[in-house]
Amino acid sequence: MLENVNEKCAVVGIFGHKEASKLAYFSLHSLQHRGQEAAGISSSNGTKLHTIKDRGLVMQIFDEAKLTTLSGNSAIGHTRYSTAGNDSILDAQPVFARYDLGEMAIVHNGNLTNAQEVRERLIKKGAIFQTFMDTENLIHLIAKSEKEKLLERIIDAVKKIEGAFSLVFLSRTKMFAMRDRHGFRPLSLGRIANGGYVVASETCAFDLIGAEFIRDVEPGELLIFEKDKAPISIKVYEPTPKKCIFEYVYFARPDSSVFGQSVYQMRKNMGAELSKIKPVEADMVIPVPDGGVPSAIGYAQASGIPYEMGIMRNHYIGRTFIEPTQEMRDLKVKMKLSPMIDTIKGKKVIVIDDSIVRGTTSRRIVRMLKDAGATEVHMRISSPPTTDPCFYGVDTPDKNKLIASNMSTEEICEFIEADSLAYLNSDALLRSVHAKDDEYCTACFTGEYII
Ligand code: SF4
């Protein structure tokens, strides 16, 4: 279970459906795991855009009355994770603006790597920023572009930014969806059963609203949605894929298909690979719920060691708005996870988790299992050691707080008080996800950043 690593956002866009904002709401609900601090929806009725956004969960922010005010056949939505001290409502999305061509709203998943540079250039030219979001750069770039049409302005603007972006733009009459040339963050296109189209960060959003997956938006591709037309595709960049492999390891929901493959199956493959390269004798394989479940199933099936539920997760603790001190984090782990004493007492257990970030959660889990009577605890991690932070839209602690960048595997094993510790290596991870060429970003395991 990852400690303090969070996907920053999810985006969704609905076009050509009479209940667009309601479908955006349900889609955001499915994507809530990608951000729980704030959410918002902008809709267009053809002449005017309406936006509602606030801090909190999707279900807390919206009700029937609010969704009714978000009228029109198109809507875009966003859920946001914010870093500490930066959770202002101003930083919630969609970002809305009026400019010389009318009104627009934007939602963004990812991180722009040249955001500061672009912002300084814009400020020198007189731009005034209201938020700390790199997404606001886009509003200014579009508003200041000398091109005549919005489509040309969007292309002009995205050519000035670098980094990770899956974007959805809404104007009064059109919607645009785009992925950066590397396709760091996912974005899929679907067709809604009773009319219209949807784009969303993950396909789990499609299932809830009865949409059928068509394909992924390609890296470097811009899709244009216009009334009564199929989406038009423009290749803005030659694609050079560097898809985020962590989507498979941890972020995406297991019932989603991401980058064209089932997340659940990829995680099972990771577990199976782990059992082959890091076998250990034990009585049972248990997952750290929920993240470790598919990999533990894969490990158990491949090794023939029985799969058991050795740890219960309490899903009802909600979000605790507490300072992220070590003491509070320890307490949160205790509130969240508890041992199945009758199952693990007197047994040698293999515990499968998706990653170790600071190491403190893993230590708490090992102690908890030993206190419950496990005779041996062997920790197996279904990804390589996380040694480097992410600059492409995932909130990770600084390098000096990542335990694997400061300690060897043996030292970490000692720190977490396990009987053994082993990680999946990079080759096995890439094999698990059927990687071809160099199509995945693995920078948080290798420190090799493409931008
Ligand atoms: S650095 Fe890691 S988390 Fe960030 S995009 Fe690359 S693989 Fe994903």
Side-chain angles (χ1 to χ4, degrees):
M1 183 181 58
L2 283 164
E3 316 113 297
N4 283 69
V5 171
N6 293 282
E7 177 66 62
K8 274 190 179 160
C9 305
V11 296
V12 64
I14 306 283
F15 193 85
H17 193 283
K18 61 181 187 322
E19 298 207 275
S21 63
K22 281 192 183 150
L23 296 195
Y25 164 81
F26 286 117
S27 302
L28 288 180
H29 190 257
S30 299
L31 297 167
Q32 187 77 79
H33 60 287
R34 297 178 77 91
Q36 297 95 34
E37 299 294 334
I41 296 174
S42 291
S43 73
S44 173
N45 59 13
T47 53
K48 202 168 170 31
L49 262 61
H50 292 93
T51 299
I52 294 177
K53 55 185 178 177
D54 208 342
R55 289 165 71 175
L57 300 173
V58 177
M59 283 185 87
Q60 293 165 335
I61 298 168
F62 296 99
D63 55 24
E64 185 76 34
K66 283 185 181 155
L67 289 171
T68 306
T69 65
L70 292 167
S71 59
N73 288 355
S74 55
I76 61 173
H78 190 264
T79 61
R80 177 166 197 272
Y81 171 79
S82 82
T83 47
N86 219 1
D87 61 352
S88 154
I89 180 62
L90 283 176
D91 287 349
Q93 296 193 24
V95 181
F96 167 80
R98 285 196 187 89
Y99 68 123
D100 61 330
L101 298 184
E103 296 181 334
M104 73 176 145
I106 305 180
V107 288
H108 172 204
N109 175 206
N111 238 22
L112 305 184
T113 49
N114 67 341
Q116 197 52 34
E117 205 182 302
V118 171
R119 179 172 286 230
E120 278 164 18
R121 263 205 313 270
L122 286 163
I123 289 173
K124 270 192 195 141
K125 286 187 185 159
I128 297 167
F129 282 82
Q130 288 193 330
T131 75
F132 295 108
M133 280 185 292
D134 46 9
T135 316
E136 204 183 347
N137 290 0
L138 276 162
I139 293 276
H140 287 285
L141 289 171
I142 291 169
K144 284 181 184 294
S145 169
E146 283 167 8
K147 305 281 183 194
E148 211 177 301
K149 298 205 164 116
L150 177 58
L151 170 63
E152 296 167 331
R153 289 192 184 195
I154 289 174
I155 295 173
D156 199 28
V158 294
K159 286 200 163 166
K160 294 192 171 78
I161 59 172
E162 281 169 20
F165 52 87
S166 283
L167 293 161
V168 191
F169 301 81
L170 184 67
S171 72
R172 286 177 292 196
T173 55
K174 292 182 188 160
M175 188 174 86
F176 305 84
M178 166 131 205
R179 256 174 105 197
D180 68 79
R181 73 182 84 188
H182 304 297
F184 285 108
R185 311 258 66 88
L187 190 63
S188 298
L189 168 68
R191 188 182 292 104
I192 303 164
N194 51 358
Y197 291 93
V198 53
V199 286
S201 296
E202 287 182 39
T203 60
C204 62
F206 296 177
D207 304 332
L208 190 63
I209 63 169
E212 167 204 6
F213 172 76
I214 301 176
R215 65 177 178 86
D216 282 341
V217 179
E218 294 298 324
E221 183 184 26
L222 173 65
L223 285 179
I224 306 150
F225 297 82
E226 286 181 72
K227 192 167 182 241
D228 301 330
K229 285 188 187 168
I232 299 162
S233 163
I234 294 180
K235 193 194 267 185
V236 177
Y237 294 110
E238 210 42 60
T240 47
K242 276 286 171 193
K243 299 169 280 188
C244 171
I245 207 158
F246 234 99
E247 291 283 347
Y248 286 137
V249 172
Y250 172 73
F251 299 129
R253 248 173 58 165
D255 56 337
S256 283
S257 163
V258 160
F259 309 138
Q261 304 187 95
S262 151
V263 174
Y264 177 67
Q265 188 56 51
M266 297 307 105
R267 287 189 191 153
K268 273 176 70 179
N269 295 350
M270 290 171 208
E273 285 285 347
L274 193 54
S275 83
K276 284 180 213 150
I277 63 170
K278 303 291 177 189
V280 59
E281 262 184 42
D283 299 310
M284 62 181 69
V285 180
I286 66 172
V288 175
D290 296 323
V293 172
S295 303
I297 293 172
Y299 193 108
Q301 287 176 351
S303 64
I305 300 170
Y307 171 89
E308 293 284 357
M309 206 169 118
I311 302 172
M312 260 302 288
R313 179 168 176 178
N314 181 354
H315 286 269
Y316 305 105
I317 60 166
R319 290 188 66 75
T320 48
F321 291 97
I322 49 178
E323 285 302 306
T325 61
Q326 197 49 58
E327 210 174 281
M328 287 300 124
R329 269 194 288 269
D330 287 350
L331 189 65
K332 262 177 103 174
V333 174
K334 271 190 185 168
M335 285 166 71
K336 236 186 222 178
L337 304 174
S338 46
M340 304 276 282
I341 296 173
D342 292 343
T343 309
I344 55 185
K345 196 172 180 184
K347 299 288 191 321
K348 295 181 200 167
V349 299
I350 301 170
V351 187
I352 311 285
D353 206 350
D354 46 45
S355 53
I356 300 180
V357 179
R358 295 168 194 262
T360 45
T361 302
S362 304
R363 183 169 61 182
R364 173 70 57 197
I365 289 165
V366 174
R367 279 187 189 166
M368 179 183 83
L369 294 169
K370 290 205 166 167
D371 288 348
T375 53
E376 288 176 24
V377 178
H378 300 277
M379 187 68 98
R380 292 291 178 272
I381 305 299
S382 61
S383 63
T386 308
T387 50
D388 292 85
C390 175
F391 300 108
Y392 310 134
V394 173
D395 183 53
T396 36
D398 295 341
K399 192 171 165 76
N400 61 11
K401 297 208 174 81
L402 295 168
I403 193 167
S405 87
N406 302 304
M407 288 189 196
S408 67
T409 300
E410 293 70 33
E411 286 168 334
I412 299 171
C413 182
E414 202 173 309
F415 176 79
I416 65 172
E417 300 167 6
D419 292 282
S420 76
L421 166 68
Y423 291 87
L424 195 63
N425 59 41
S426 286
D427 287 348
L429 175 61
L430 291 168
R431 228 175 13 249
S432 305
V433 303
H434 311 125
K436 287 183 233 89
D437 308 321
D438 214 9
E439 62 179 321
Y440 286 101
C441 174
T442 54
C444 47
F445 309 130
T446 59
E448 289 164 17
Y449 298 97
I450 187 170
I451 311 172

